[in-house]
Each structure stands twice: as C-alpha cells, then as structure tokens.
Amino acid sequence: MLTIEDLHKSFGEKEVIRGLDAKINKGEIFVIIGPSGQGKSTILRLIDLLDTPTDGSITLDGTEITSLGDRDKQQVRQRIGMVFQDPAIFQGSVYENVAYGLRFRTLPSEEVHRRVTQALHDVRLEGYEKQDARTLSGGEKHRVAFARTIVTQPDLILMDEPTSDLDPVTTGILEDLIFFIRDTYHATIILSTHDMFQGQRMGDRIAVMMGGTFIQTGTPKEVFTSPNTREVAYFIGFENIFDGEIIRSEGGVATIATGEREVLAVSDRPVGNKISWCLRTEDIRLHMSEERHGRAPMSNHMMGVVKSIGMVGPQNHVTIDCGIDITLVVSWRFAERVNLHPGMRVWVAFNAGSIQVMER
Amino acid sequence: MNEIIDGFLTAIHLIVTFDPEVYEVAFRSIYITFSATVIASVISIPIALFLAFRTFPGKRTIINLVHTLYALPTVLIGLVVFLMLSRQGPFGFLGLLFTPGAMIIGQVILIIPIIIGLTYSALVALDPVIKDTIISLGADYFQFMVSILKEIRFVVYATVAMAFGRAISEVGAAIMIGGNIRGYTRVLTTSIALETSMGNIELSMALGMILLFIALTLNFIMTSIRRESD
C-alpha cells in the first residue's frame, strides 16, 4: 500500500525527519507513537503531500508521489483523507462541512446528499445537518472532521492525534468510530498519538517515533514486551531501566553486571556486550522475608531497603534500594497490611525471562 | 442659527420632493463609486491572494508599500491622474480627462491599496489548518482560492464596503480630474464644496444629508456583516 524509503525533511537548519523507512499494509491500522516534537505530524503531512520531503521517497500503490506535478498531487490527495489534531470547521452548516470534499470532486447533488447522509449516520450526527458547525462541542467537531474524511471514501486515512484534547469518554467513542471506519470503509489508517496505551489499543502495528525516525516497529505485543532501545522502554512505561555488561553467558542465560549487582537474563548476547536492560514493575514480586519466597531456577533474588513509596491511582509504587533502585507495584491494601514504610528491609524477586535486554 | 435651521428644513424639502438636481448628483456619485469599487475589487482580491500564498523576492516590500498607500493623499492621486490623462500626458489620446471615466480611475487607484491590504491581512490571519484541510480534501488551485475566499467572505464584504465609503467621500481627486461639470461629472462631494462656496447652504445640506445617509447605510451593512461573521 504505502512504502517510505530513507525519508528526510528539514525546516531550515533543523532536520525533523531523519532517514525514515516504513511499509504500511493495506487495510491495517498503523499507529505512530512517540513524545511530542518527534516528527509525527510532519510525517503525516509529508504523506498527504502538504509538505515536500528534502530527500527520500513515498510510494503509494507503486507510484512515487512526492515528485509528482501539482495536478497529479491533487489526484493523489483525493485518494487520501486527513483528520487534523485540531479539526478545521468551515463557516456554514454541518452538512456543508461534510460535503466540502465532495464539492471538489463535482459529484451530482443526489450522490453528495446520499454520501453526506450516510457519513453523518456513521458518526452519529444525524439531525445535525442544518446546525452551524461552529456551535458544536469539541467531540462533535471531531466527528464532523471524521465524517468529512470518510465521505470521500479515501483508500488511506491519516489521523494526527485525533483525540489528544478530548475527555476519556469522547476518546472511547472516537476510537470505536475509527475501528468502524476501518471495517466499513476498508481504508488503511495511519494514526499518530502520544498516548502509548491508545497505540496499543488501536494499532495492528505500532511504530515508535523518536528523533525523526521509527526506532521500533512491530505489533503492540512486540513493542510493549520487547522494546529495542532504552528510549523506547522509557516511553512505553518501563520504570526499571539499567545499563550493564554481560559477564557470563551459558545456555541462553546471561549474567549481567550492573554496578555491584548481578542479574540473570534470558539472552544469547556474547560476553563483554555492553547493553541496557529493563524490567516491568508488574513482573517483580515483593517478599517480607527471605524464607517466604521459593527459589525457582533462573530467578533473581535481591535484598533491599524500601527507599520511597508513592501513590499512583489505586496502587503504590515502591522503590527499593537493592544496590540498584528497583521500582515495583503493590496494592494499597497490601502496603497497609504489611506496614510497608521507608527503611524497611524487604526481598524482591523476578524471573530471568522478565528482563528485556537491549542495545545500549 | 436660524439660517442653519432654515437650510436644514429646505434640505429636507429638497430630498422628500425628489429634487432632480439633488438626486442626479447623488445617483452619479453612487454610479461612479460603485463602478470603481467593482473594478478595484476585481483587481485587488486576486493580487491579495497572490501575495498571501506565493513567495517571491520583494514580497515584503510590496506589502509595506501597499500599507503605506492606505494614506495616499487624494489630491496627489488627482494630480498624477490629471498628468496622465491631460492632453500632453501619455494617455491623453484617450480623451478621458474631465469625464466620469477619469473619476472612476482616480477612485480605483485610491481604494486598491485598501482592498489589497485588508484582504491580505485576513488571508494571512486565517487558521493554517483551514488552508491545509482544503488542500487535503483534494481542492485544485482554483477551488482552493474560492474556498479560502468563502472563509473570509465577511471580511471581504466589510473591506469592500469600507472602500466604497472611502471612495464616495473623496473630494480632492474628483474635482481635479472630474472638473465638477454640472450634469456630467458633478458628484456629491464636489457639489457640496461648490454650493457651499456659492452660499447655497440648503442644497449643500441636502447633498450632505444624502452623503451621511450613504455613510450610515454602509456602517449598518458593516455592522451586520460583523455580527454575521461572529
């Protein structure tokens, strides 16, 4: 469907897109996640031909589109729909707003009416046809933007952080709508978001964008369980990220030295490899005494002292000084029951298979 | 004081009895200014679009020049057009001097910078997402321009109304290049100037009231447009 090769884009001295490669398959929801300012909007604008790349190519169904003439670019844009982060609402009624793109295609008025009516039905805005679009709520304006995009029946829909400034309920409605659009209109969707969990929920595949390029692409499971760099791990929510060096390796199990600590990890990297490793808080078990936990093979056990306890939602995040600071999650109830407090001696355990080893 | 009150009452009488001289001058004023406004709009709006959406060397200078020309003295316009259209001037062969056509040319020159400048300002102030959305929806160049103008239409209407007001109230150039010829190039402003100097206060006041009525109507139109756009 869409292939991007070695794409670069500079604005003056600043290079925003740096050698980006990607292949997006027909009919998939491809989610670009990443912090603000990493080039997510720029890549969508380049695909929609609103900006011209400094170098590289974008190929849509076999045709390189960035070097086309104005007339051909306009034809390509008619195959692409874009929903902007802050949707533009034109002066006029909801009906006129949704019909806008169809007017450019000079369709017969009966066809315009049929498609607009269907699109308004799909986004659940029936009955709003005559209302001044500027008087709608934020969520309704987003739905108008969705309707305006799907009404032209594009092959490819680009969505630039379409729910970034909406409440969770409206976000949920729009996410359902995005799935509906994909299933009903069979469009390929590229969606950018800084909400990693939205990326996880929505994406058939996810690309993590940092520093103007995709530093990891894969299914949500691949990306969220096996980040390939320290930066990705940090962005997708790993709280325990460390640097280390592999000092022993045997049978696919590596011993990693981090400071004065040694941990076992499932990895076939060679001895001497300088790496980063990370561990999810929910993969760590907490014990109040050394005797109470069983010593499974290939598991890591450490004694430490509670350094701090912080409340996050219904849970406590507990940081334990084990020579390295390990953060884990316990429920409020558990923390109260065992009278967890700073300075308390505890034991932590985690399996070697829970550790993700990454390039440093 | 009595003279002013008498003049006022006579002026009212001239208006309500549809005095031919008063209405002939008024309609000529409206005809000349309306023509000038239409011509200036047709010239200025595409120039404003070009300035707003094209990049070229000297663009900033042109925009500064346009803004400077807002305050162009009307007598200077009158002088330049007079020199251009006079028998010895480069366009003297057209025989336009002291005709309504010459007055239209003068008013066009007067209001072109206003329409270009205000339309340009509205275009560059327009939310960039609006422009991107129009392009993204697949508009060609012409559809893009029309759509953009549609979005700023209320500003354009107000600008054109303001330009009309500026042109119809102008007197310096009208006298110099129109000649204030009775029944031919005499308009509201030139007529008021002449009749006042001749002591025909009643007629001047009647013409002045019509001019004021036109100004109030324009103001009403602009206020309505502003309310609509809000």
Side-chain angles (χ1 to χ4, degrees):
Chain A
M1 173 76 190
L2 189 82
T3 307
I4 302 170
E5 288 180 304
D6 195 25
L7 200 70
H8 293 259
K9 176 63 182 175
S10 297
F11 293 103
E13 295 288 302
K14 191 179 180 194
E15 190 172 37
V16 180
I17 302 293
R18 296 174 184 165
L20 187 145
D21 293 293
K23 194 171 185 328
I24 289 109
N25 303 315
K26 191 171 174 56
E28 75 174 334
I29 298 182
F30 185 85
V31 178
I32 303 170
I33 61 171
S36 298
Q38 301 300 312
K40 298 191 299 294
S41 298
T42 305
I43 185 63
L44 295 182
R45 291 178 61 82
L46 288 169
I47 295 170
D48 201 27
L49 304 175
L50 293 171
D51 286 324
T52 308
T54 314
D55 202 2
S57 67
I58 301 173
T59 306
L60 178 65
D61 288 338
T63 305
E64 205 292 307
I65 57 174
T66 62
S67 54
L68 295 172
D70 287 348
R71 181 75 195 157
D72 290 332
K73 277 186 177 174
Q74 183 223 341
Q75 297 297 322
V76 170
R77 282 194 206 101
Q78 293 203 346
R79 292 185 53 200
I80 302 174
M82 181 142 175
V83 177
F84 292 87
Q85 184 175 356
D86 184 16
I89 295 298
F90 300 119
Q91 299 202 30
S93 66
V94 169
Y95 185 96
E96 280 308 313
N97 264 269
V98 176
Y100 226 91
L102 298 177
R103 306 269 189 234
F104 297 149
R105 289 153 177 81
T106 57
L107 294 176
S109 57
E110 301 79 36
E111 179 65 6
V112 170
H113 183 72
R114 190 188 66 76
R115 286 208 204 177
V116 171
T117 304
Q118 181 63 47
L120 287 173
H121 170 78
D122 289 344
V123 301
R124 287 181 262 168
L125 280 178
E126 304 113 315
Y128 285 71
E129 288 83 351
K130 291 179 181 166
Q131 186 167 334
D132 185 338
R134 291 171 301 172
T135 63
L136 297 173
S137 70
E140 288 165 346
K141 283 178 181 171
H142 275 79
R143 281 192 269 165
V144 167
F146 277 33
R148 190 168 55 204
T149 302
I150 60 176
V151 80
T152 60
Q153 300 176 355
D155 300 326
L156 174 63
I157 298 177
L158 311 170
M159 295 183 171
D160 187 8
E161 305 206 20
T163 62
S164 63
D165 55 352
L166 298 175
D167 62 84
V169 174
T170 310
T171 297
I173 292 170
L174 291 184
E175 285 180 357
D176 289 344
L177 192 53
I178 292 168
F179 284 125
F180 174 82
I181 289 168
R182 195 266 304 268
D183 297 340
T184 308
Y185 290 86
H186 309 294
T188 305
I189 295 174
I190 304 177
L191 181 148
S192 75
T193 177
H194 60 257
D195 178 352
M196 58 179 174
F197 296 119
Q198 184 175 56
Q200 195 176 21
R201 286 193 298 273
M202 305 290 304
D204 294 315
R205 285 193 304 141
I206 290 177
V208 183
M209 188 162 196
M210 285 185 187
T213 194
F214 294 162
I215 57 174
Q216 184 168 4
T217 304
T219 63
K221 188 179 176 189
E222 285 167 351
V223 172
F224 278 86
T225 58
S226 308
N228 62 5
T229 68
R230 195 185 168 92
E231 290 73 23
V232 174
Y234 180 75
F235 179 69
I236 63 175
F238 279 84
E239 291 190 47
N240 300 294
I241 308 171
F242 307 96
D243 289 334
E245 182 179 347
I246 295 178
I247 56 170
R248 281 189 297 280
S249 181
E250 191 180 337
V253 178
T255 303
I256 303 167
T258 294
E260 293 179 3
R261 275 284 168 195
E262 291 184 9
V263 294
L264 297 175
V266 176
S267 172
D268 51 10
R269 287 173 190 266
V271 172
N273 210 198
K274 293 187 188 313
I275 48 90
S276 294
W277 61 277
C278 60
L279 181 63
R280 283 205 173 275
T281 53
E282 54 271 31
D283 287 334
I284 306 168
R285 301 182 300 279
L286 178 67
H287 300 286
M288 296 302 107
S289 66
E290 192 172 16
E291 294 75 27
R292 289 189 60 183
H293 61 77
R295 296 221 168 207
M298 287 178 24
S299 63
N300 294 285
H301 309 268
M302 297 178 190
M303 190 198 75
V305 175
V306 175
K307 194 172 175 182
S308 63
I309 303 172
M311 286 187 287
V312 178
Q315 295 173 319
N316 281 327
H317 277 213
V318 183
T319 302
I320 297 160
D321 181 359
C322 303
I324 52 175
D325 284 353
I326 300 272
T327 299
L328 52 83
V329 177
V330 296
S331 68
W332 287 0
R333 184 166 297 193
F334 176 82
E336 281 179 10
R337 184 162 57 81
V338 300
N339 188 28
L340 202 64
H341 59 272
M344 188 176 183
R345 180 187 285 191
V346 292
W347 282 260
V348 297
F350 47 91
N351 293 330
S354 302
I355 289 182
Q356 173 65 27
V357 180
M358 307 165 290
E359 286 291 335
R360 199 195 304 180
Chain B
M1 189 65 185
N2 283 344
E3 193 182 50
I4 294 171
I5 294 168
D6 287 346
F8 180 75
L9 293 173
T10 311
I12 296 282
H13 177 75
L14 287 171
I15 291 168
V16 297
T17 57
F18 294 100
D19 179 79
E21 190 175 359
V22 168
Y23 279 92
E24 185 215 319
V25 169
F27 283 126
R28 185 176 302 112
S29 274
I30 291 168
Y31 158 70
I32 288 173
T33 303
F34 180 78
S35 304
T37 306
V38 169
I39 293 167
S41 300
V42 168
I43 295 169
S44 305
I45 292 171
I47 292 174
L49 286 164
F50 182 82
L51 287 172
F53 297 117
R54 294 282 168 171
T55 307
F56 56 90
K59 176 173 161 174
R60 194 71 251 164
T61 309
I62 292 175
I63 292 161
N64 286 337
L65 182 68
V66 167
H67 288 153
T68 307
L69 292 177
Y70 279 9
L72 194 63
T74 57
V75 285
L76 190 61
I77 295 173
L79 176 63
V80 171
V81 175
F82 181 88
L83 294 173
M84 292 289 129
L85 298 180
S86 67
R87 194 161 297 184
Q88 289 77 28
F91 300 105
F93 67 92
L94 294 172
L96 280 173
L97 194 61
F98 304 132
T99 67
M103 297 170 78
I104 290 170
I105 291 171
Q107 291 190 357
V108 166
I109 294 170
L110 175 70
I111 61 177
I112 272 181
I114 295 171
I115 302 176
I116 291 177
L118 295 180
T119 307
Y120 170 82
S121 298
L123 287 168
V124 294
L126 190 64
D127 184 351
V129 180
I130 293 271
K131 301 170 199 169
D132 287 341
T133 304
I134 293 169
I135 296 170
S136 177
L137 285 168
D140 62 25
Y141 188 70
F142 180 73
Q143 288 167 335
F144 172 76
M145 293 299 184
V146 171
S147 301
I148 287 288
L149 278 180
K150 232 172 111 182
E151 284 304 302
I152 62 157
R153 62 186 181 275
F154 295 117
V155 178
V156 173
Y157 298 157
T159 298
V160 170
M162 185 187 286
F164 185 93
R166 171 90 166 112
I168 204 164
S169 59
E170 180 282 321
V171 61
I175 285 184
M176 290 172 76
I177 55 186
N180 202 17
I181 301 165
R182 185 174 192 177
Y184 187 46
T185 59
R186 186 164 295 176
V187 290
L188 283 167
T189 51
T190 59
S191 193
I192 290 168
L194 178 72
E195 298 301 339
T196 304
S197 67
M198 290 169 62
N200 294 331
I201 300 298
E202 301 87 355
L203 187 54
S204 290
M205 286 184 78
L207 295 169
M209 286 166 72
I210 290 175
L211 196 55
L212 187 64
F213 174 75
I214 292 170
L216 289 173
T217 305
L218 284 173
N219 189 47
F220 174 75
I221 291 168
M222 285 200 284
T223 307
S224 304
I225 290 169
R226 212 169 293 134
R227 201 178 304 128
E228 179 72 19
S229 67
D230 289 342

